[in-house]
Amino acid sequence: MVPTPLLDRAKAQFSQHFDGVGVGKMSFAYAPGRVNLIGEHTDYNNGAVLPMALSDKGTLVAGKRVEDTHGFWASTDSNLPVKTTCWFPDFQEFPSTGWGRYFHGTCKVFEEVTGKEASCAVTIATNLPLGGGLSSSASLTVAVFSLLEQLLGVKVDPIEKVKACKKVENQYCDVPCGIMDQFICTLGEKGKALYINCANNEFEPVPFSDEALCIVVTDTKVKHDLAAGEYANRKETCEAVAKALDVSSLADVSMTQLEEFFATPRTDLPDKALERARHVVGEIARTKKAVELLKSGGMEEFGKLMDASHNSLDKDYEVSCKELNEVVEAARGVDGVLGSRMTGGGFGGCAITLVRKEAVEELVKMLGEKCSYSESFSTTAGAGATSWGEE
């Protein structure tokens, strides 16, 4: 479902900033944010992930084609850090920081993929917390790419679109992310999570629509910058372990193999290499088990896997933080909670809690009291990106 307030805000911005700009009728696109139910920091290790699209949180863009000049214009609303209109008249003036990298990078990659000039005037509205671990960046790039498809009358193969939006983050925003976020923002389905094998891009929708349960998302308001070094450090450590084991990635390693390999101290590998690899190998196994449980309705056991995932992310991968741990610990103490964990890259951001619907009010109230810095909302599995033209 496209949130009506976002549509209204995007239209109002266009009238304010771009009145008289562009040709033809206005087009629109929306891409959701996401939470990863389980399978954290496994995507760039060619492992398994299980995200779901958020039903009512995402990014909406509105725009028109621009003729007679090659350039990209964009304005943003109050949820984005830059509120003024920006103009990027050519590829030589690529913005070095901020949200503009994602917008301009998407326009450039779209042109590379389709061979079509993507000159446009665009307004952007979002209700996602930036840096909150809900994939605000992938939501933006997928929404802009979808809008350009609509404006220019082209349709890119969905998997190629996913790869193109990943390239924006890797090449133009210096974020060494995997493919999960762009995948779920593009191909999410209502009432379903999406199991993705990141080694070969095979995917399978998995039911996640138990009427008695929902996900509560809690934003700690602690912001992270995944390009700052820690994310890349862990990726490099995992690659070093895989190389030492003579495999293409940690997805090809069992826990037994890992333990046998580290039975002898390894001074040739980065610090805490065992712990980092142990998380990834264990998380891939937990994710595969989680899919089986969702198919069979084993939600209690699924919740336990969420708990185990968070504990591993905190102790072995060390990407949690004080606030995330406080939220998770508090949530686990509420009757009706099946499991709780951090979601996203970590170093702040959001936690998710699987909870019975009758306990949601109590959970949200308690988190507001015990973790007063946080903000919570409930959600269900929503659909992926969509685009449409003005009637």
Side-chain angles (χ1 to χ4, degrees):
M1 179 186 298
V2 176
T4 301
L6 290 184
L7 181 59
D8 293 341
R9 279 157 50 189
K11 287 181 175 179
Q13 285 179 75
F14 202 93
S15 296
Q16 178 182 353
H17 294 294
F18 299 128
D19 186 35
V21 174
V23 298
K25 291 185 177 182
M26 190 179 299
S27 290
F28 308 91
Y30 173 79
R34 67 96 185 95
V35 293
N36 192 21
L37 297 172
I38 197 166
E40 216 66 76
H41 289 277
T42 55
D43 57 345
Y44 55 81
N45 286 291
N46 284 342
V49 293
L50 188 65
M52 77 171 201
L54 300 177
S55 58
D56 54 1
K57 300 283 186 182
T59 302
L60 191 142
V61 292
K64 287 186 176 183
R65 290 187 298 108
V66 173
E67 293 184 340
D68 302 324
T69 185
H70 189 193
F72 313 130
W73 290 261
S75 78
T76 70
D77 66 6
S78 58
N79 258 27
L80 287 167
V82 179
K83 306 179 185 66
T84 56
T85 304
C86 298
W87 178 35
F88 308 123
D90 59 58
F91 292 154
Q92 303 306 312
E93 297 187 17
F94 194 85
S96 60
T97 61
W99 66 271
R101 295 176 298 165
Y102 295 91
F103 169 69
H104 194 205
T106 304
C107 293
K108 181 171 182 178
V109 171
F110 181 88
E111 293 193 334
E112 293 171 359
V113 170
T114 65
K116 290 183 174 290
E117 187 173 296
S119 296
C120 57
V122 175
T123 54
I124 303 166
T126 184
N127 57 7
L128 288 167
L130 301 185
L134 301 183
S135 200
S136 56
S137 57
S139 175
L140 173 59
T141 58
V142 171
V144 172
F145 198 101
S146 300
L147 177 68
L148 293 173
E149 288 180 297
Q150 181 74 32
L151 286 172
L152 294 166
V154 299
K155 194 66 177 176
V156 176
D157 175 81
I159 301 300
E160 293 306 310
K161 177 177 174 178
V162 167
K163 292 177 180 178
C165 291
K166 175 180 178 290
K167 181 180 179 180
V168 174
E169 299 220 32
N170 294 163
Q171 185 169 324
Y172 298 107
C173 303
D174 298 321
V175 178
C177 65
I179 206 166
M180 174 185 71
D181 293 350
Q182 298 78 15
F183 223 117
I184 187 62
C185 291
T186 302
L187 293 165
E189 294 186 24
K190 183 179 179 180
K192 296 179 180 179
L194 196 65
Y195 173 76
I196 307 168
N197 182 339
C198 297
N200 54 21
N201 293 332
E202 292 181 355
F203 63 97
E204 176 188 4
V206 182
F208 194 79
S209 56
D210 190 319
E211 292 296 328
L213 301 170
C214 71
I215 290 288
V216 168
V217 181
T218 303
D219 183 8
T220 65
K221 304 297 183 73
V222 176
K223 304 303 180 187
H224 58 64
D225 181 356
L226 294 183
E230 289 299 325
Y231 189 110
N233 174 271
R234 280 154 181 77
K235 184 174 185 288
E236 290 166 3
T237 297
C238 291
E239 290 171 346
V241 175
K243 183 177 181 180
L245 282 161
D246 195 26
V247 295
S248 60
S249 71
L250 290 179
D252 299 323
V253 180
S254 70
M255 192 62 76
T256 299
Q257 287 176 295
L258 194 67
E259 290 171 350
E260 290 177 351
F261 179 73
F262 279 98
T264 302
R266 304 289 309 199
T267 58
D268 57 326
L269 291 171
D271 186 41
K272 296 192 175 181
L274 168 60
E275 290 86 348
R276 307 301 189 237
R278 185 167 59 201
H279 164 72
V280 172
V281 173
E283 187 78 345
I284 292 171
R286 283 187 289 271
T287 304
K288 292 178 179 179
K289 179 63 176 177
V291 172
E292 296 175 8
L293 291 171
L294 288 183
K295 289 179 178 179
S296 64
M299 301 306 289
E300 295 276 357
E301 292 300 313
F302 181 88
K304 293 178 182 178
L305 289 179
M306 291 176 66
D307 287 341
S309 172
H310 180 83
N311 296 344
S312 177
L313 287 160
D314 180 34
K315 303 301 183 186
D316 275 352
Y317 222 62
E318 295 184 293
V319 291
S320 189
C321 65
K322 179 176 72 73
E323 292 84 359
L324 281 169
N325 289 343
E326 288 173 350
V327 167
V328 167
E329 188 64 27
R332 290 175 180 175
V334 175
D335 287 341
V337 166
L338 278 62
S340 188
R341 63 183 291 272
M342 58 157 278
T343 190
F347 313 112
C350 292
I352 56 172
T353 302
L354 180 63
V355 58
R356 301 191 186 282
K357 286 185 177 178
E358 64 267 21
V360 169
E361 185 176 349
E362 179 188 353
L363 172 65
V364 172
K365 179 175 181 292
M366 183 277 302
L367 289 173
E369 293 172 351
K370 289 191 174 183
C371 308
S372 58
Y373 48 80
S374 69
E375 183 177 345
S376 299
F377 64 90
S378 62
T379 189
T380 55
T386 184
S387 62
W388 66 100
E390 190 174 43
E391 295 181 358

